[in-house]
Amino acid sequence: MVAKLFPTQEFGAQNSEDHKEALMLKETDTTDNMNGVILEEDNEETEQESARKCHGCRTFCHNLCMPCRTKYHPLPENPNCWDRFKFTFMCPPHGVIARYFQFLFLCGITFGVLLALFKDYALPGGNFFSLYVLFFGSVLGGYLISFIKLPPLLGMLLVGALLRNVPVIDVVGNHLDPNWSGALRQIALTVILIRAGLGLDPVALRKLSFTVVRLACSPCLVECIAEAIASHFLLGLPWEWAFMLGFVLSAVSPAVVVPSLLNLSDRGYGINKGIPTLVIAAASIDDVLAITGFGVVLGMAFSTGDIAVSIIKGPAEALLGVAYGVIGGIVLWYIPAKGDNFIFYRGMTLLGAGLLATFGSAAIELSGAGPLGVLTIAFVAAFRWRKEKKDNDQDPIKDIVAILWMLFQPILFGLIGAEVQISKIDGQTVGLGMATLSIGMVVRLVVSFLAVFKSGLNFKEMLFIPFAWFPKATVQAAIGGVALDAARRKGDATLEAYGEIILTMAVLSIIITAPIGAIAIAITGPRLLKRTVKDKEYDEEDVQNTDEQAEITKV
C-alpha cells in the first residue's frame, strides 16, 4: 500500500509544481497583456495629442494663408486696377509673377549645376559664368523689348553689346572664350539651316508663281551686287570679301517678317491677294539663296593657290554640300528605325548630321560645303517624312527644332552683340558702312517694287512689298561672324580686320533695319492692304439672310 501510494504522492507533487508554474506563466501573460494595453493606451494618447497639435498647426497655417490664396479670393467679374494688382500677388504664383518666379528659379538651378560641375570656371571671371549671364540676360532683354512691340532679338543683341562695352559689367563680355563663342554660333547657324530646310515644301515650290521667284531672287542678288561694289570702293574690301558682305546683308529676316505678316493675316489684311503667303514663301527662298551664295564665296575667299582653282573650288564645294545632303537625307529616311521615342532620335540624328556637315567641312577646309549640306539634308529628309504624317497633324520634328532654336536664339544674338567693341570701331568705317548699307537698301526697295510689277497687285499693295522686304536680323546674326571665325583660325591679322568689318556691318544692319522694318509693316499694312472680313464675322448676317430666304420661300 505504502509502495503504491509513494509514486502517487510524487506524481501529485509534480502536478502541483506544474500547476504553480502554469499559474505563474498565466500571471506573467496577464501582466504583459496589461502592460501592452497600457502601452497601447499611452501610444493612442500620444498620437491623439500629436494629431491635435498637427491639426492646430494646419488650422493656424490655413487661417494665416487664407487672405492671400486665390482659392478663397477669386478675381471679381468686373475688377478694377486695385483688384487686379492684389490678385497678381495671390498664391499660388500665377500669371506674370509665376513666369518671373519660374525664370528666377531656373536661373538659380542652372547656376548651381554649373558651380557644381565647373567650380572656378562658373564663378565671375570664368567662361561659363559669362555664358550663363549672357544667356539669361539676353532672354530677359528680349522679353523686355517685346513690351514696346519690337522684335525680341533686338533686345538680345543690345544686352550682348552692353555686356561687352559698359564699364564694370564689361568683364562678362571680355571673358568669353572666342573658341566657345564661335562654336555656339556655328551650332545656332546649323539650327537655322535645319529649320529653313524643313520649311521648304517641294509641292509648294513647284506651284510657286513667277512673281514669287522674282521677289525671292531679284532683290537679294541685286542688293548683293550693289553692296559688294559699294563696299569694295568705300570700305576697301577685296572683291571676295565684298561679295561675302553683300550676301550677308542681302538676306531678309524671317524672325521679323513672318510674325509681322501672320499678324496682318490674322486680322484679314492682304489675304484676298495672298500677300502674306507670297512674302513668307519668298522669304525662305531669299535666305537660302543668300546663305548658299555666302558659303560659296567664303570657300573662294579662304582658298589658296591658283585663281582658277579658287574659282572652281567654290562651285565644287557647293556640289559637295548638295551631294552630302542628298545622301544623308536618304539615309535618314530609314535611320533610326521606328520604335519607342523614334521621333526624338530622328530629330537628334538630323541635328548630328547637320553639325557634322558644319564642323566637318571646316575641319577639312571646305567650309563652303557645310551650310548647303545642312540645308539639303533637312530638305531631302523632310520630303519623305511629310508622307508619314496625316494632313492635319503637326510636324513633331519642327517642334523639336523650334525648341532648339528657342535655346540658341538668345545665345546667337547675345554673342553677336558681345563681339562688337565700340572702342575699337573706327568712326569713318561706321560712316562708310552706313553709306554702303543705305545704297543697298535703296536698291532693294526699288527692285522689290519692280519684282511684283504686273502681278495682279494694285499700286498700294505693290508699295507695301518693299516695306515687308526691309528688315534684316536672323541670317545676319548667323553668318555675320562666320568669316571672322575663319580668319581667326587662319591667324591672319588682315583677314581678321576684314571679318570685323563684316561683323560690324551685320550688327548695324540688325540694329537699323529690324525695328524700322517691324514698325513699317505694322503701320503700312492696315493702310495699304485691303482688309477681308473673315467668315466668323459674317455668321450673324448669314443666319439672318437664311431666315429671310426661308420666309420668302414659304410665302
Side-chain angles (χ1 to χ4, degrees):
M1 293 285 295
V2 175
K4 289 182 179 179
L5 290 173
F6 182 74
T8 304
Q9 291 177 354
E10 227 174 31
F11 180 75
Q14 185 177 358
N15 287 342
S16 177
E17 289 178 359
D18 292 341
H19 182 66
K20 288 180 181 179
E21 290 180 0
L23 290 176
M24 291 176 66
L25 290 173
K26 187 175 181 180
E27 290 177 358
T28 303
D29 293 339
T30 304
T31 305
D32 291 340
N33 291 334
M34 292 293 295
N35 292 334
V37 172
I38 294 172
L39 289 175
E40 289 179 0
E41 291 178 354
D42 291 341
N43 290 335
E44 290 179 359
E45 291 179 358
T46 304
E47 291 177 358
Q48 291 176 358
E49 183 66 22
S50 299
R52 283 195 296 269
K53 291 181 179 179
C54 291
H55 179 71
C57 183
R58 288 197 301 269
T59 304
F60 174 78
C61 294
H62 176 75
N63 294 332
L64 183 65
C65 298
M66 185 183 295
C68 60
R69 294 185 63 183
T70 57
K71 180 179 180 180
Y72 301 101
H73 300 277
L75 191 67
E77 293 184 1
N78 298 314
N80 54 32
C81 295
W82 176 246
D83 292 333
R84 292 193 184 93
F85 180 78
K86 288 192 302 181
F87 189 75
T88 302
F89 296 95
M90 290 286 182
C91 292
H94 57 281
V96 178
I97 297 296
R99 290 195 293 270
Y100 291 158
F101 180 77
Q102 176 183 347
F103 180 75
L104 293 175
F105 186 70
L106 183 60
C107 289
I109 289 178
T110 307
F111 181 72
V113 172
L114 291 176
L115 190 61
L117 290 176
F118 303 107
K119 306 286 188 304
D120 294 339
Y121 292 100
L123 295 175
N127 178 55
F128 290 103
F129 178 81
S130 298
L131 290 173
Y132 166 81
V133 175
L134 180 74
F135 175 79
F136 285 104
S138 299
V139 172
L140 182 60
Y143 178 74
L144 294 177
I145 203 73
S146 63
F147 279 108
I148 56 177
K149 305 302 180 182
L150 290 178
L153 54 88
L154 186 62
M156 301 172 187
L157 189 74
L158 293 176
V159 167
L162 292 175
L163 292 176
R164 185 61 179 267
N165 297 282
V166 175
V168 179
I169 64 173
D170 59 348
V171 294
V172 174
N174 291 325
H175 284 96
L176 288 169
D177 189 341
N179 295 326
W180 278 81
S181 299
L184 289 173
R185 286 201 302 268
Q186 290 289 332
I187 296 174
L189 173 61
T190 303
V191 174
I192 291 175
L193 292 172
I194 290 176
R195 292 190 72 189
L198 293 175
L200 291 177
D201 188 355
V203 178
L205 289 175
R206 286 197 299 266
K207 294 181 179 179
L208 286 176
S209 64
F210 186 57
T211 302
V212 177
V213 176
R214 287 184 310 190
L215 182 60
C217 300
S218 301
C220 178
L221 294 177
V222 175
E223 182 187 0
C224 174
I225 295 172
E227 288 172 337
I229 296 173
S231 62
H232 175 72
F233 291 104
L234 295 179
L235 297 173
L237 293 176
W239 282 113
E240 295 90 346
W241 288 82
F243 274 96
M244 207 183 305
L245 176 62
F247 279 115
V248 169
L249 298 180
S250 61
V252 73
S253 173
V256 180
V257 172
V258 173
S260 301
L261 267 295
L262 290 178
N263 184 26
L264 292 176
S265 178
D266 293 338
R267 294 156 60 191
Y269 290 105
I271 60 176
N272 61 322
K273 298 287 185 68
I275 292 176
T277 303
L278 169 71
V279 175
I280 293 173
S284 59
I285 303 176
D286 175 275
D287 293 339
V288 170
L289 182 61
I291 294 172
T292 303
F294 173 81
V296 172
V297 179
L298 179 69
M300 295 173 60
F302 285 94
S303 61
T304 57
D306 190 9
I307 298 178
V309 175
S310 301
I311 295 175
I312 296 174
K313 185 178 179 182
E317 289 182 359
L319 292 176
L320 179 62
V322 172
Y324 171 83
V326 171
I327 296 173
I330 294 175
V331 170
L332 290 181
W333 290 355
Y334 308 100
I335 298 176
K338 291 185 177 181
D340 295 337
N341 301 321
F342 90 99
I343 292 295
F344 172 77
Y345 291 118
R346 173 178 284 181
M348 293 300 100
T349 306
L350 176 60
L351 177 63
L355 293 175
L356 177 62
T358 300
F359 292 103
S361 61
I364 61 176
E365 298 185 354
L366 296 173
S367 55
L372 196 55
V374 178
L375 190 69
T376 306
I377 195 172
F379 173 73
V380 174
F383 178 79
R384 176 70 173 269
W385 293 347
R386 288 189 184 93
K387 298 179 181 180
E388 298 178 1
K389 70 182 188 70
K390 298 180 181 179
D391 294 336
N392 297 326
D393 292 345
Q394 293 183 348
D395 192 346
I397 298 297
K398 287 185 178 181
D399 295 337
I400 294 175
V401 179
I403 294 173
L404 292 173
W405 175 239
M406 181 180 65
L407 294 175
F408 281 99
Q409 183 185 20
I411 296 176
L412 173 63
F413 287 99
L415 288 174
I416 288 294
E419 287 289 341
V420 178
Q421 293 179 289
I422 297 176
S423 60
K424 294 184 179 181
I425 295 177
D426 185 8
Q428 184 179 2
T429 302
V430 174
L432 295 175
M434 294 284 291
T436 302
L437 181 62
S438 300
I439 292 172
M441 292 307 302
V442 171
V443 172
R444 182 180 188 84
L445 293 177
V446 174
V447 176
S448 299
F449 179 82
L450 296 177
V452 293
F453 195 70
K454 292 185 178 180
S455 59
L457 304 180
N458 58 40
F459 180 77
K460 288 185 177 181
E461 292 167 341
M462 292 171 58
L463 191 61
F464 171 76
I465 297 299
F467 292 107
W469 224 228
F470 189 83
K472 305 174 184 296
T474 313
V475 177
Q476 286 71 26
I479 65 179
V482 173
L484 178 59
D485 294 334
R488 285 172 175 169
R489 288 193 295 269
K490 284 282 186 181
D492 192 329
T494 303
L495 298 182
E496 288 186 25
Y498 295 153
E500 289 176 356
I501 291 175
I502 291 180
L503 178 63
T504 303
M505 290 293 298
V507 174
L508 284 175
S509 67
I510 297 172
I511 294 175
I512 294 172
T513 63
I516 295 176
I519 294 172
I521 294 173
I523 293 176
T524 59
R527 288 170 172 78
L528 298 178
L529 301 180
K530 180 181 178 182
R531 184 171 185 263
T532 302
V533 181
K534 295 185 178 181
D535 295 337
K536 291 182 179 180
E537 300 182 24
Y538 280 117
D539 286 346
E540 296 181 358
E541 296 182 2
D542 290 342
V543 171
Q544 294 177 357
N545 293 334
T546 303
D547 292 340
E548 291 177 359
Q549 291 176 0
E551 291 178 0
I552 293 173
T553 303
K554 289 180 181 179
V555 174

